[in-house]
Amino acid sequence: MFDIDQISNAAAEFTGESLEDARRRLGNRSRYDHLIPDAGWSGQALLESTLLSALGATTGGERPFGIREAKITDHGLDLRVERAEDVRALLDLLPLRTKRGPWQGVRELTAQPVRTRLRFGFREWVYNAEGYGRSPAPVVRVAGPHGVDLEVLLAAHRKQTESSGHTVRWDPQDTEPRPKRQEPVARSLVRQLGASSAIGSRLLRRPRLWDCLAGYAGVHLSTHITDYGLDWTLERRVAGPHFDHERLLAVLTDPVVGYGLAALDHLCSTEECTIRAVHPGRWNSRGVLTVRSRQAPITAEPPRPTLPLTMLGERRRISRPRAQQQSGPVETDRSGAVLQLLGDGGRDQLVWVAERIAAAWAAEGLVTAVVAARAHEGFGLRDRSRPDWATASSPASEAGWQRLRVVSPPGQLWLREPARSAGPVASTVAEARRFADRVLLVSRDSDYFLEEAEYTQLADVRLLVREASRYQRHLALPPSSLGAAGAVALTPAESAIAWRQKNWSYETAHLPVTGLLLLPRADEDEALDEFDHAVEEQLARYGTPVLGRFPDHGSIVRGRSHSMHPPTVLDPESAPSAHARMVKAAADLARRLWPELLAGTRTTPPDKGHR
């Protein structure tokens, strides 16, 4: 159902890693909703941001930030830089103590040679502030250009430091106690970067985006403290008249391969184009990323060609994309059908069912969209990344349409979570109708009558979702005074009534429902016998036909290191025949709902004529 070459290309285009390495790394993942994963813990993101602050300020390199490759590994991150000057920029971060006592460099940083690389890390009191040893040590290994011995460079830097009368303090083998007093924020790079280290880490893990865009002529990165945290500013120089800002915005807001940001604003003129974006709802993200694109001075060298981006469905071996790619789905006025899912199993369960059905249809070549009203926001935990100098709230922006997977063209799979009120949900559904073939709507946390009644007119089909169970065939009787308990056999009509009494709540009884979608357990035999079919005939007589059965995904696990999205046909198979069952179930559902259409077929690309 998925193309490993396609998703490997999509990731490698941004990281610079080889396709073989990308395939190996992605082959070990259970989900393909984040092809370039975030740093697993705050200490790792902080270390990556620290190194990026030095690499981002370098100039004269051929590649963005001087990085040829950023490879995500089990231990952390491996970088390959292109020049010895880039290595020296990192060495300038290392801490030392001057003859008169004050510190220079990043006091928390360590470095040591490991074979042909330099291993950068932090002192333990940075990532295990309480001293309990709960967080793993952050690691970034840096390799240099061919023929450059990094151990010799580090030794030369040590010799120069000591010859100047300073004391080297970067060796991890040397004990370095935690400072008794906190450094002023103006002098502590780690304190500054801690406010928005997640943004810096995401930039470092995707260094090769910038030379994929039109007319790459260099980038320069800087940070500055604000009254809410720390902002990142990337100055991008472009050779030629095209800023390629639509493709850039598409990558910045893409959560699968891109940065997963939400756009604050987007202003362009003939001389300059500025995009501001934030990282919504995440710790260590109290800042704004500003990408400012300006034209570079005219030179005799021709501008670099634009490279196609697999995540946008662009084909390779072309000199430039056929047109500017929009940051969201392309509207073509499809008048797509809207299918609403109802149920009292909780919002998360309904959203996961909707995503799995939509993924199966997308794999067949359809453009599908899931509209899920935002979950109720309860009391959140205190944001530990809020800096002590912050006096204002961090800028925020609502995320737009989010790509859920990289799908082979012409299929597409999108998600949007509007606010929990009728207006935003209605406008989002109307927008989804225009660009999608099929739309799945999950409107609320549960099926309360007064809330769901507002959305009756939004959907063409409304399905009540229930767990599948064997229809009752006997009614147990209490034991009599003369012997053991007995049982009375039920007719299909009686069994249908018993099922409705058990599965039909007061609220759903007052809502118009097209039919039922049952969720059988993955390990259960789905074969129905004559009695089961007779019961379902009776259910249909009562106005509640069983229109489909879709395999149950099981329990939902939330939290760090767990995906926010369910396994789909666009991910590695989680159980034997899991993909085949989902594809068949989605196709059967479509045939029952729209018998006049062939489910999942399309002969022309969805955005043909809009390139």
Side-chain angles (χ1 to χ4, degrees):
M1 292 292 104
F2 60 88
D3 186 343
I4 188 64
D5 291 333
Q6 180 191 27
I7 63 175
S8 298
N9 280 332
E13 286 164 359
F14 292 166
T15 63
E17 61 189 323
S18 69
L19 292 180
E20 181 180 354
D21 287 340
R23 289 191 193 97
R24 186 182 303 112
R25 176 174 63 82
L26 293 171
N28 295 326
R29 296 183 63 83
S30 61
R31 311 278 172 86
Y32 291 148
D33 53 343
H34 294 295
L35 303 184
I36 304 175
D38 293 338
W41 53 96
S42 58
Q44 180 68 31
L46 183 57
L47 176 61
E48 293 174 10
S49 295
T50 302
L51 301 185
L52 178 62
S53 67
L55 293 173
T58 59
T59 58
E62 181 182 357
R63 304 299 181 192
F65 314 133
I67 300 174
R68 287 190 175 276
E69 175 186 38
K71 185 189 303 184
I72 298 165
T73 63
D74 293 336
H75 63 76
L77 185 67
D78 284 355
L79 298 178
R80 180 174 296 280
V81 297
E82 62 178 352
R83 303 175 303 163
E85 289 82 352
D86 302 314
V87 180
R88 294 190 182 97
L90 296 176
L91 297 182
D92 288 340
L93 291 172
L94 296 178
L96 56 91
R97 198 154 193 174
T98 61
K99 289 186 290 187
R100 297 185 178 181
W103 285 80
Q104 291 184 4
V106 180
R107 188 170 184 175
E108 301 86 348
L109 195 61
T110 65
Q112 64 181 139
V114 178
R115 296 182 179 177
T116 60
R117 304 172 184 263
L118 292 182
R119 184 183 188 273
F120 289 87
F122 273 147
R123 297 290 179 183
E124 187 175 5
W125 38 266
V126 176
Y127 56 91
N128 279 324
E130 304 299 328
Y132 299 137
R134 293 173 295 182
S135 299
V139 174
V140 174
R141 299 187 305 185
V142 177
H146 180 71
V148 176
D149 192 326
L150 301 194
E151 185 174 1
V152 171
L153 288 182
L154 182 63
H157 186 68
R158 172 188 286 270
K159 183 177 180 180
Q160 181 182 5
T161 300
E162 293 175 340
S163 63
S164 301
H166 306 322
T167 304
V168 169
R169 305 304 301 168
W170 63 69
D171 193 334
Q173 305 301 323
D174 297 336
T175 302
E176 183 63 45
R178 182 174 185 169
K180 295 181 180 179
R181 292 187 299 176
Q182 193 176 50
E183 283 188 292
V185 66
R187 292 185 53 194
S188 175
L189 182 61
V190 166
R191 286 189 63 193
Q192 297 173 28
L193 296 175
S196 58
S197 58
I199 297 177
S201 174
R202 288 196 166 195
L203 286 168
L204 185 64
R205 290 177 172 230
R206 298 161 179 82
R208 300 302 301 277
L209 157 68
W210 309 102
D211 55 344
C212 287
L213 300 175
Y216 170 76
V219 292
H220 183 273
L221 187 66
S222 61
T223 60
H224 62 278
I225 299 175
T226 66
D227 58 358
Y228 49 79
L230 184 83
D231 283 353
W232 297 78
T233 301
L234 189 142
E235 302 285 348
R236 173 172 167 252
R237 296 185 300 279
V238 179
H242 302 291
F243 290 128
D244 215 357
H245 55 96
E246 289 291 352
R247 294 171 79 231
L248 171 58
L249 186 60
V251 176
L252 291 177
T253 57
D254 179 77
V256 179
V257 194
Y259 296 88
L261 305 178
L264 278 177
D265 48 52
H266 178 194
L267 277 168
C268 286
S269 66
T270 56
E271 294 82 20
E272 181 178 308
C273 188
T274 301
I275 299 174
R276 297 196 313 142
V278 293
H279 196 182
R282 297 295 298 270
W283 287 359
N284 306 107
S285 299
R286 296 184 61 88
V288 176
L289 171 64
T290 300
V291 180
R292 187 174 295 112
S293 304
R294 293 192 177 101
Q295 291 185 358
I298 299 176
T299 63
E301 297 182 4
R304 294 189 184 186
T306 303
L307 301 180
L309 297 178
T310 302
M311 61 157 280
L312 299 181
E314 298 168 353
R315 297 179 178 88
R316 302 186 68 83
R317 298 187 300 275
I318 56 176
S319 60
R320 60 175 298 175
R322 286 173 287 177
Q324 298 288 316
Q325 176 72 29
Q326 295 187 6
S327 58
V330 178
E331 293 190 7
T332 56
D333 196 16
R334 297 174 183 274
S335 300
V338 178
L339 165 63
Q340 184 178 6
L341 300 184
L342 306 169
D344 54 11
R347 172 188 179 275
D348 288 347
Q349 181 194 49
L350 296 178
V351 173
W352 279 38
V353 172
E355 289 185 12
R356 287 156 67 92
I357 295 175
W361 287 339
E364 295 297 323
L366 296 178
V367 178
T368 60
V370 177
V371 178
R374 200 174 307 149
H376 176 71
E377 297 179 0
F379 295 100
L381 299 175
R382 181 179 65 89
D383 184 359
R384 293 180 295 178
S385 63
R386 179 186 177 95
D388 50 15
W389 71 81
T391 58
S393 299
S394 182
S397 179
E398 184 175 315
W401 286 102
Q402 304 282 301
R403 183 181 281 102
L404 285 178
R405 298 292 191 281
V406 174
V407 188
S408 297
Q412 297 177 29
L413 177 59
W414 297 90
L415 168 70
R416 187 163 189 176
E417 298 179 291
R420 287 167 44 93
S421 58
V425 173
S427 62
T428 303
V429 170
E431 183 182 359
R433 278 187 185 273
R434 290 193 292 270
F435 75 80
D437 298 299
R438 292 173 189 162
V439 182
L440 289 104
L441 169 64
V442 177
S443 55
R444 290 284 181 168
D445 293 89
S446 58
D447 54 347
Y448 295 111
F449 168 64
L450 293 178
E451 296 179 346
E452 289 293 349
E454 300 176 354
Y455 304 99
T456 303
Q457 304 302 319
L458 298 181
D460 305 310
V461 179
R462 296 165 61 87
L463 295 185
L464 182 64
V465 180
R466 287 289 187 264
E467 292 184 4
S469 59
R470 285 294 181 184
Y471 298 115
Q472 188 175 352
R473 304 185 180 220
H474 298 87
L475 178 64
L477 299 177
S480 66
S481 59
L482 301 177
V488 175
L490 299 180
T491 66
E494 293 169 335
S495 180
I497 293 174
W499 188 93
R500 281 181 59 93
Q501 288 180 328
K502 178 181 179 182
N503 292 275
W504 216 259
S505 63
Y506 171 80
E507 291 83 6
T508 53
H510 291 76
L511 292 173
V513 174
T514 309
L516 303 173
L517 176 64
L518 303 182
L519 306 180
R521 291 177 52 183
D523 56 354
E524 286 185 351
D525 183 9
E526 296 184 33
L528 303 182
D529 59 18
E530 184 178 347
F531 182 86
D532 295 325
H533 287 297
V535 173
E536 294 189 356
E537 288 179 3
Q538 295 300 316
L539 288 173
R541 283 186 57 206
Y542 302 147
T544 53
V546 177
L547 296 178
R549 294 172 179 268
F550 201 84
D552 189 10
H553 52 68
S555 58
I556 298 174
V557 181
R558 295 291 193 188
R560 177 173 289 186
S561 77
H562 293 287
S563 173
M564 296 293 292
H565 304 287
T568 69
V569 297
L570 301 173
D571 301 297
E573 202 160 27
S574 57
S577 303
H579 285 181
R581 290 186 63 187
M582 284 190 279
V583 169
K584 181 179 183 302
D588 290 344
L589 175 62
R591 279 192 289 269
R592 294 291 299 275
L593 295 178
W594 305 288
E596 71 280 4
L597 300 177
L598 291 176
T601 59
R602 176 173 296 280
T603 57
T604 58
D607 48 1
K608 185 175 182 180
H610 294 265
R611 291 282 185 175

